[in-house]
Amino acid sequence: MTTADVRSLFQAKLNENPDHGFHPYDLERIKDEKYMKRVMKHNDNDPKLASDMLWDIFTWRKTVGANDINESNISADYISEGAFFPHGRDVDGCLLLIIKSKKHVKGVKDFEEIKKIIIYWFDRIEREENGNRVTLFFDLDGCGLNNMDMELTNYLIGLFKSYYPSFLNYIIIYQMPWVMSAAFKLIKSLLPAKGVEKMKFVNKDTLKEFVAPEQALVCWGGKDNYVFEFVPENRTQGNTPKKVTFAEQGDNHSPGEMLRINPSNLIVFKHDNEEITGQFTITNMDESAISFKIRTTSPEKFRVRPSSGTLTPNTSQTILIVVQSGFQVRNMVKDMFLVMSVQIPKTELTAKELTEIWQNSSGSKVDEYRLKCLFPTKELPKNGNTVDIKTQQKPDSVVSALNNLQSNYEVLHLQINKLKMYQMFTLILTIVVVILGVLIYQSSNGNDRYCERI
């Protein structure tokens, strides 16, 4: 089954319901091949389920007025305090939507306003990230039960399940207090099996498995000293979603793409004298000149030459990437590169003019291409001897030991809870025995005095 089948089913439903009242921007999504593939993937490639989901999405968006939510009609106080904001990326290159749970207390704020802010961020991220996945990051450091809002959590999960298809990468729960364990067990029960697999419980020591230190905030033990400050979206009114596709194989190019990238989705690194290097070539397939930028999840690890530039139609540029000395490639297996391109009127532009073009380009105007990395199995340490990376991976015995440690921890935690209950029972029993002893003693003394009087 293809996206054409979904379009056909959905169009038939539109014909049957001419007064649907769907927003024109939402109907444009049907023309977006990438969005349609997201809907198909979310519904396990079932065209009927995919068509029904589209209908439900558009109906919901009409009901809540999603396309009309913007900076002018959301609470400035709520959004500026930074309880919800996007920043940083996970190891897969997906944007983090951070929830500072300590800044949210259930029942204090207008929940309808909170929902509008969440829709605002979801829609904005979907535009700016071209529909690529986002990771929900619950920062629970320093939280108590008053910060646990199941209604809010259910709402967030419901958005991912029903209205933003194939949009969730991970749910990262950072520094969860033990008092919230029961609540998150309930959250797990609300998720489908695929959703449960995406939940990752981390602390300062294990966070690096999902968020590199360079992408993690200082308060998480990372190196990013970012402090949230709300910046309004630079969005040109009237823009409609544009078809965005990605090169998938070799030297191929699909209609509608600005660039052809070779190789298309993988940068193969190799030893070059005493350096580890990789390269790929980009070709401008558009009818106009383009400006390109290259970004990576870990900029401190790589030198990219060039990292930006311009190309006239049908011209190419080879991009050379060099691994910086001091970094070991075994720690880079999840690093990714992002190539972005935007149309420009001519190549003879000043740096200021180029900056303005990028700033005024919404997500629908920018093509994006993601490339993963393949590193050599041996790296070059400072002593000149190659080291087989495979031998440095965690053996199965270590993984098994870690699993056993986790199991033992859970058993110990259960035993501690039982011990606390036993101690409480013992304390109550002791108090009862003492009280009874006092009563018996007083009663005995009373009888003795009575006998003496007789």
Side-chain angles (χ1 to χ4, degrees), residues 16-249:
E16 294 173 2
N17 300 272
D19 299 326
H20 51 75
F22 295 150
H23 199 286
Y25 286 2
D26 290 332
L27 291 175
E28 283 291 323
R29 295 169 183 261
I30 305 172
K31 302 176 184 178
D32 185 342
E33 187 68 14
K34 183 180 179 183
Y35 185 80
M36 296 297 288
K37 287 181 178 179
R38 285 172 55 194
V39 177
M40 285 285 287
K41 184 176 181 180
H42 193 91
N43 291 279
D44 297 323
N45 294 318
D46 185 317
K48 176 64 168 60
L49 292 178
S51 174
D52 291 343
M53 184 179 193
L54 275 176
W55 192 271
D56 291 342
I57 290 171
F58 295 172
T59 301
W60 171 78
R61 292 183 64 81
K62 177 183 70 172
T63 303
V64 301
N67 290 288
D68 300 320
I69 295 175
N70 54 57
E71 291 91 345
S72 67
N73 54 30
I74 56 178
S75 172
D77 292 338
Y78 284 14
I79 200 165
S80 61
E81 72 176 2
F84 312 90
F85 63 92
H87 184 74
R89 296 186 181 274
D90 65 19
V91 293
D92 296 328
C94 299
L95 187 67
L96 301 178
L97 177 55
I98 299 167
I99 300 174
K100 284 279 187 179
S101 298
K102 194 174 181 179
K103 296 187 176 183
H104 174 78
V105 178
K106 182 180 180 180
V108 173
K109 298 184 177 69
D110 184 342
F111 189 57
E112 292 303 314
E113 285 297 320
I114 292 175
K115 290 196 288 188
K116 285 177 64 177
I117 288 174
I118 293 172
I119 293 171
Y120 167 80
W121 279 125
F122 270 55
D123 271 21
R124 177 171 172 175
I125 292 170
E126 195 172 41
R127 286 189 293 269
E128 295 180 343
E129 294 290 303
N130 283 334
N132 293 310
R133 293 176 182 250
V134 64
T135 284
L136 204 57
F137 191 104
F138 285 93
D139 183 351
L140 301 181
D141 195 18
C143 288
L145 287 176
N146 61 327
N147 303 116
M148 188 66 213
D149 190 342
M150 287 300 298
E151 187 178 9
L152 172 61
T153 306
N154 288 343
Y155 183 73
L156 286 164
I157 292 173
L159 292 183
F160 283 113
K161 287 174 64 175
S162 304
Y163 306 124
Y164 291 85
S166 297
F167 195 47
L168 179 65
N169 194 45
Y170 292 124
I171 300 175
I172 296 179
I173 297 96
Y174 174 74
Q175 295 285 88
M176 184 185 71
W178 68 268
V179 295
M180 293 186 177
S181 301
F184 273 91
K185 285 182 180 178
L186 179 58
I187 292 171
K188 276 188 175 183
S189 69
L190 300 173
L191 291 170
K194 291 181 180 178
V196 173
E197 293 175 0
K198 294 176 181 289
M199 289 188 73
K200 309 296 178 183
F201 293 85
V202 300
N203 53 36
K204 283 191 176 183
D205 294 328
T206 58
L207 176 62
K208 59 181 177 293
E209 296 176 13
F210 299 99
V211 180
E214 296 76 20
Q215 296 289 324
L217 299 178
V218 170
C219 61
W220 304 337
K223 300 179 180 179
D224 188 348
N225 58 5
Y226 171 80
V227 177
F228 172 72
E229 181 180 358
F230 178 68
V231 178
E233 182 181 11
N234 192 343
R235 185 184 179 194
T236 303
Q237 295 297 322
N239 283 345
T240 55
K242 170 192 169 186
K243 177 180 177 181
V244 180
T245 55
F246 290 80
E248 294 181 351
Q249 294 182 359

Side-chain angles (χ1 to χ4, degrees), residues 65 163 219 263 306 354 419 445:
Y163 306 124
C219 61
L354 278 174
L419 181 59
N445 285 345

